[in-house]
Amino acid sequence: MTNKIDVRDVCCVAVELSKTSWVCAFAPPGDCKAVVHKIKAGEVSRLIGILNNSKAKAEHQLGRPCRSYSAMRSVTMASGLPGS
């Protein structure tokens, strides 16, 4: 059984991780432009905060919950992260 997802409730997130910096782009549902944040590598709490705050802002502007994420991730080979 598949669940249908209402694309009006989907926030798109793209994250690129490297050894020196992380980039996170967040686009709320609709025709809104993505907001890009660049932070120091390893700042997990800050990255999670950006995602949570961006989602809360989108929900406030839309007046309804955003239920799903469409995520893309890129890890550079020189990141030094496990598995790279």
Side-chain angles (χ1 to χ4, degrees), residues 3-68:
N3 293 334
K4 291 186 179 184
I5 296 174
D6 188 341
V7 295
R8 295 175 300 161
D9 296 337
V10 175
C11 299
C12 294
V13 176
V15 178
E16 181 175 299
L17 309 175
S18 75
K19 189 174 183 176
T20 57
S21 65
W22 292 357
V23 179
C24 173
F26 184 96
D31 296 329
C32 300
K33 188 175 182 179
V35 176
V36 179
H37 301 271
K38 184 174 180 180
I39 61 175
K40 286 176 55 177
E43 291 187 336
V44 176
S45 296
R46 186 159 176 219
L47 178 61
I48 292 170
I50 288 169
L51 294 172
N52 288 337
N53 290 339
S54 297
K55 182 177 181 266
K57 183 178 177 182
E59 290 176 334
H60 178 73
Q61 290 174 343
L62 293 168
R64 65 179 189 274
C66 296
R67 293 188 171 91
S68 302

